[in-house]
Amino acid sequence: MILGIETSCDETAAAVLAPSGAVLSNVVVSQDVHRLYRGVVPEIASREHVRKLAPAVKGALADAGASLDDVSAVAVTAGPGLVGSLLVGVTFAKSVALARGLPLLGVNHLEGHVLSPVLEAPDLAPPIVVLVASGGHTLLVHVRALEHLDVVGRTRDDAAGEAFDKVAVLLGLGYPGGAALERHAEGGDPRAFDLPRARLEPDALDFSFSGIKTAVRFLLERDPDAGEEPRSHDLAASFQAAMAGVLVEKTMRAAERFDVPAVALAGGVAANRSLRTALEAACAERRLRFVAPRLAYCGDNAAMIAFAGMHRLARGERSGMALDADPSLPLGSVANRAPRKRHARVSG
Ligand code: KG4
Ligand code: ZN
């Protein structure tokens, strides 16, 4: 069995996978305390991970009906993320691996997100285009092989979830407000407000969401009534439609450009039903397979980290005790290509 650990941001997570890749347990402990500050406070996040990680690991082992004796490898998120938060997970994983003489695998958090659709649908074979949309990241990845991930598009400013969260705050819906904004948009008219959909250069696969968010802010300054009932429902629906429109358009452009038969969605924003539905419809129109993992695998979780670690282990990779947290660990084909030397620092 493989033990996965994830502490890159504000979720403390541990999971146990069977050697087949089946998820035996998937524990995610959220840190609600950050709501008070309308954003993740790094220092608090690290302290919460210190308090919650050991119970999360114990819980994951208990849910799997297993003990540490059954664990044959430990996979941990080494980056990107908040350095203090990452260090808690990396140090914990190193301690378990050292004490038990187990192989240790450092995993890129984004690699976990990118592979989560394959965790859900093991028959989903590359090539695939995966859209990862979360609170911290928005990227399009061309998965040529499970160990060959090419980032072909990324946000140049806000992440998609960040834009949802900022607009939710503007509409007084709290933080993090993506899910609340979706609920608020129900019954609203998505055509009521014409928001700009920054497209950057023609053909670009990069995203830019700050324009949409700023347009909402200016609109509310000019016309504060748009932020009040009942028009705020229309504004939320229009914003959501603009976001989904841009995300679907770029994802389809990438699918066509790289001529893939399948498209997948990952990251916390994948919880958004209007995005899922729009992407599913666009895929059906083009006869592309569409996979969106269950929500437990979309948000930050350790099952996806254990899964990515399992594939690295199968390729003969080991991280060794020199594994370090790297807050800006890049995801890229070069970094993913070769098996790592023992004691090499994980860099991608
Ligand atoms: O992947 P995730 O759990 O954490 C990271 O950011 O890594 O994603 C959380 C993000 C938040 O920005 C949250 O507002 C957004 O996903 N989100 C949603 C929805 N549910 C969560 N955004 C839009 N619609 C939703 N239903
Ligand atoms: Zn994430």
Side-chain angles (χ1 to χ4, degrees):
M1 290 179 193
I2 182 155
L3 172 66
I5 290 172
E6 153 65 40
T7 62
S8 66
C9 190
D10 61 341
E11 251 94 32
T12 313
V16 177
L17 261 59
S20 63
V23 180
L24 301 178
S25 65
N26 189 22
V27 172
V28 180
V29 185
S30 298
Q31 304 181 354
D32 292 331
V33 56
H34 302 287
R35 285 175 195 273
L36 295 171
Y37 306 93
R38 289 187 180 172
V40 177
V41 183
E43 180 62 24
I44 295 177
S46 315
R47 286 166 192 264
E48 288 287 293
H49 287 306
V50 169
R51 279 194 331 118
K52 293 176 172 168
L53 182 54
V57 168
K58 274 189 190 158
L61 288 168
D63 286 359
S67 78
L68 266 185
D69 292 339
D70 302 308
V71 173
S72 53
V74 184
V76 62
T77 304
L82 301 170
V83 69
S85 293
L86 290 165
L87 271 171
V88 177
V90 168
T91 309
F92 189 99
K94 279 161 86 168
S95 312
V96 174
L98 189 64
R100 295 270 161 171
L102 299 174
L104 175 70
L105 287 311
V107 171
N108 186 301
H109 177 77
L110 296 171
E111 184 183 330
H113 276 306
V114 172
L115 297 188
S116 66
V118 186
L119 174 66
E120 178 70 68
D123 65 329
L124 178 65
I128 324 163
V129 160
V130 183
L131 168 66
V132 179
S134 74
H137 306 276
T138 299
L139 60 160
L140 275 168
V141 180
H142 177 205
V143 180
R144 290 207 255 167
L146 293 187
E147 71 281 16
H148 202 143
L149 314 177
D150 284 341
V151 178
V152 295
R154 59 173 71 245
T155 182
R156 296 198 189 159
D157 39 57
D158 293 345
E162 191 180 354
F164 268 95
D165 292 339
K166 287 178 176 170
V167 169
V169 167
L170 289 174
L171 292 177
L173 300 171
Y175 171 91
L181 192 140
E182 178 174 11
R183 282 194 299 278
H184 201 75
E186 267 168 39
D189 177 3
R191 288 172 304 274
F193 294 91
D194 190 19
L195 297 169
R197 301 177 185 203
R199 288 203 172 87
L200 307 171
E201 310 82 30
D203 296 346
L205 291 176
D206 280 354
F207 300 94
S208 168
F209 296 115
S210 67
I212 304 179
K213 171 205 66 189
T214 307
V216 173
R217 189 160 59 81
F218 285 163
L219 194 147
L220 288 170
E221 278 169 16
R222 267 198 327 270
D223 180 8
D225 180 62
E228 303 296 328
E229 300 269 353
R231 290 173 68 213
S232 61
H233 296 287
D234 292 343
L235 184 53
S238 302
F239 167 76
Q240 181 172 258
M243 292 295 294
V246 172
L247 288 164
V248 170
E249 180 190 319
K250 306 266 171 166
T251 307
M252 289 304 113
R253 189 178 294 165
E256 275 158 28
R257 190 168 304 169
F258 299 104
D259 195 22
V260 296
V263 164
L265 177 62
V269 180
N272 189 280
R273 269 163 300 155
S274 80
L275 172 62
R276 277 167 110 101
T277 312
L279 206 49
E280 194 166 13
C283 286
E285 215 174 275
R286 294 166 179 80
R287 298 185 184 285
L288 301 173
R289 182 175 176 190
F290 174 65
V291 173
R294 70 195 72 178
L295 298 187
Y297 300 162
C298 280
D300 286 349
N301 69 91
M304 67 183 190
I305 302 303
F307 189 67
M310 194 180 89
H311 284 283
R312 285 180 173 259
L313 185 69
R315 295 198 292 270
E317 296 186 26
R318 302 284 187 281
S319 292
M321 283 302 133
L323 178 69
D324 206 356
D326 183 345
S328 49
L329 191 65
L331 175 70
S333 55
V334 177
N336 272 293
R337 209 177 289 144
R340 253 159 267 290
K341 285 186 285 200
R342 234 176 117 70
H343 300 306
R345 186 188 146 111
V346 166
S347 60

